[in-house]
Each structure stands twice: as structure tokens, then as C-alpha cells.
Amino acid sequence: MAEQRIRKAVIPAAGLGTRFLPATKSMPKEMLPIIDTPIIQFVVEEAIAAGIDDIIIITGRGKKAIEDYFDTSPELESHLFKNKKYALLREIKDISTLVDIHYIRQKEPKGLGDAVLKAEKHVGNEPFAVLLGDDIIKAEIPCIKQLTNLFERYSKSIIAVEEVPKEKVSSYGMIKGREIAESIYRIEEIIEKPSLEEAPSNIGTVGRYVLTPAIFDCIKETKPGSGTEIQLTDAIKLLMEKEDVFAYSFKGKRYDAGDKTGYVKAIIDFALEKEDLKAEIVRYLQEGGI
Ligand code: G1P
């Protein structure tokens, strides 16, 4: 395939968020805040920082708050203007002018693979990025940019990976690969949420992918797998029969905000980076909390 720049990103956001019930009963899990910023904003900002200018968010029932969030808010804007809160006004306006966002609805939550397939018509025949809202990644070079840079060099689908502790192996897609360059692997095995015995290694996939459009046909061939859902991991396994798929041990720190402890850790670390919060939070933690 000819060298191509990644211009489009798919952000699946149709999941039910059962791990965060009851909060997610009437609110999308992607809107849960890390202090004052909804998780989905970090993900959208990461895509933009990688030069992506066309974002497709896959939504479902009960996800209207995501569309409202990235839309203009005339009443709020005029209220902030009247009250001379200009800095906040700029921030609010920036959110709605960040990038071109398109929404596609997944009518039934049939899994991550099925959600990505919904973007086929919009993505067309070009490679694209997938960013999962559960993962927040702090990195000097945004994680998805690390992957798009590698795609430009190798023209291969590529997934971010990291070592995971034993007790988390059954929560992720797990791979085994052969190192072909520093931190870059050709994937030889991939399995969604294996038991510790089945896991091919301790290297787990993180929610950042660059995929060639061949993945769409692979998703169509994929039968329901783990959790009886159409898994992206299973489609990637089929893709590996047709073309090489790479993994990259990315540089940065990942928070699995789809997990309660990961979510709390993200909030603590982000608070420690805010000048107006840091001192008090450090004092509180040193005192040992409750
Ligand atoms: C999804 C993927 C899994 C991947 C994980 C990364 O799982 O199915 O392969 O390792 O994201 O966060 P989920 O978190 O949706 O259960």
C-alpha cells in the first residue's frame, strides 16, 4: 500500500458503561470527568494533536450528552460573556470548534468490532486510527501520533501495547510478537481476554490502533467471541492472515479509566499537575486520606 497520512479517527463510544453503574445509567461513561474535563475530550485532543482532522464518534442510545458537549452552547456563552468570564468563554468555544466531528449510531451494542464497522462508509478505502475512550494516555508525543508516525514508515496496521500485571491479563487483548526493531513487534498471536493459562505473553493491547481498511471485511467475517460480542481483536486475528500487523510498545503512561482504580489514579495524577490543587492534594494524601 502506498504511503498514506492518517486523517481519520474512529472513537467508539457506544458501550453501556456497566462498570460505572449507577453513574452511567443516565450519563455516557465517556462524559465522566477527570476533575473538570470529560474523558472523551482527552481522546479527541490526542487525535487532533496527531494531525487528524476528521473524527467519527460511534454513539448509541443515551449518548446525546456527547454531541451536546462538542456543540455550541449559545446560552452558556452569552452568560459567560455578560459575566466577563472571558478565559472560560474561550475554553468553552474552543471545545465546539476543535475539529470536524461526525456521529454514527450503533443501534445495538454488539461489540467493539461491530462499532468500528459502522464507520466503514465514512472512512472509505484509507487507513485510519481507532482510539478507545477508556484509555487516557499521558505522553510527550501523543500515543496515536507515535502509531501514525510508524504507519507512515511501515504501512502496516499497528497497535499500542504494554506489559500488564497477571491479574489484568483477562481484561485485555493479549499478544505475542517477534521484535523487528526497537519496541516494534510483528504480531504472531492475539487473543481477546484470555485466562492466565491461555495468554501468549504478558503484553496487552491498549486502546490505540492504526488499521488498514482491510479490517472492515475481516470484521464482517468475525463471529461473536468474548462476551458474545464481535471483537475487534478477533477481526485483527483474521487480518493477520492477509497482512502483517505490528505492535508498538508506546512511550507514555496509560490510565485504564474504564476500571475504577485506573479512573481514580488518573484523577489523582491530573490533580497533582494542577497548580491550584496540587499542594492541598499532596498534603491530604500524605496525611493518609480518611
Ligand atoms: C478493549 C479491547 C481489548 C483492549 C482494551 C484496551 O476492551 O477489546 O482488546 O485490550 O480495550 O483498553 P474493553 O476495555 O472494551 O473491555
Side-chain angles (χ1 to χ4, degrees):
M1 191 187 297
E3 204 182 292
Q4 266 179 297
R5 199 173 74 78
I6 307 294
R7 302 180 305 124
K8 294 178 181 172
V10 177
I11 302 180
L16 296 175
T18 41
R19 277 183 280 181
F20 278 85
L21 280 169
T24 47
K25 186 174 172 227
S26 61
M27 154 190 197
K29 67 171 174 173
E30 295 76 14
M31 291 300 296
L32 289 172
I34 302 294
I35 306 176
D36 51 10
T37 304
I39 291 175
I40 194 152
Q41 184 165 337
F42 292 104
V43 181
V44 167
E45 281 175 355
E46 185 182 328
I48 295 170
I52 287 166
D53 56 13
D54 187 348
I55 292 180
I56 304 124
I57 300 184
I58 312 297
T59 64
R61 268 189 293 285
K63 300 282 183 170
K64 195 169 163 289
I66 299 177
E67 292 183 44
D68 288 344
Y69 180 76
F70 288 110
D71 197 358
T72 50
S73 182
E75 297 83 6
L76 177 62
E77 286 169 22
S78 78
H79 172 84
L80 293 174
F81 183 76
K82 273 188 216 138
N83 289 284
K84 299 191 169 57
K85 299 209 184 286
Y86 300 123
L88 202 49
L89 176 62
R90 171 105 322 272
E91 212 178 301
I92 294 296
K93 280 192 159 176
D94 280 352
I95 295 166
S96 61
T97 52
L98 276 176
V99 72
D100 216 358
I101 302 184
H102 302 266
Y103 299 91
I104 299 177
R105 272 170 85 114
Q106 184 189 28
K107 292 193 180 120
E108 290 168 66
K110 287 201 287 194
L112 183 57
D114 182 68
V116 171
L117 183 58
K118 294 281 172 283
E120 181 182 19
K121 282 210 186 101
H122 189 100
V123 169
N125 193 28
E126 59 179 282
F128 63 103
V130 176
L131 297 94
L132 305 189
D134 281 348
D135 288 313
I136 299 177
I137 301 173
K138 263 190 200 293
E140 220 166 281
I141 301 173
C143 182
I144 200 68
K145 174 107 181 97
Q146 298 177 35
L147 298 187
T148 57
N149 286 345
L150 289 171
F151 184 87
E152 279 168 21
R153 191 176 332 151
Y154 293 99
S155 297
K156 304 285 183 204
S157 295
I158 183 155
I159 314 174
V161 292
E162 69 174 6
E163 283 185 20
V164 302
K166 280 198 181 96
E167 63 279 9
K168 293 278 180 189
V169 159
S170 60
S171 304
Y172 300 121
M174 301 299 295
I175 66 142
K176 193 176 118 198
R178 182 178 299 273
E179 195 165 16
I180 55 153
E182 203 200 327
S183 304
I184 305 174
Y185 305 83
R186 178 180 299 111
I187 304 181
E188 292 176 336
E189 273 183 63
I190 188 163
I191 169 164
E192 178 70 3
K193 303 197 168 91
S195 64
L196 193 52
E197 297 71 43
E198 289 167 324
S201 78
N202 63 342
I203 309 289
T205 59
V206 170
R208 298 291 183 275
Y209 312 72
V210 170
L211 299 167
T212 63
I215 193 69
F216 293 122
D217 281 340
C218 298
I219 298 173
K220 287 175 204 158
E221 286 169 37
T222 301
K223 307 256 172 320
S226 166
T228 68
E229 294 185 338
I230 311 246
Q231 295 294 346
L232 184 60
T233 302
D234 295 341
I236 291 170
K237 196 171 171 168
L238 294 181
L239 183 64
M240 282 159 50
E241 292 172 11
K242 301 178 186 172
E243 41 183 72
D244 283 346
V245 178
F246 287 179
Y248 178 60
S249 180
F250 71 97
K251 310 274 176 294
K253 177 159 184 183
R254 175 255 198 137
Y255 301 88
D256 182 354
D259 172 84
K260 285 178 189 162
T261 52
Y263 178 66
V264 175
K265 285 178 195 167
I267 292 177
I268 294 172
D269 280 8
F270 279 74
L272 294 178
E273 280 187 348
K274 286 189 185 271
E275 280 316 314
D276 54 335
L277 304 182
K278 186 177 172 183
E280 196 171 337
I281 298 299
V282 168
R283 199 177 320 118
Y284 183 69
L285 292 174
Q286 278 169 346
E287 283 164 5
I290 47 169

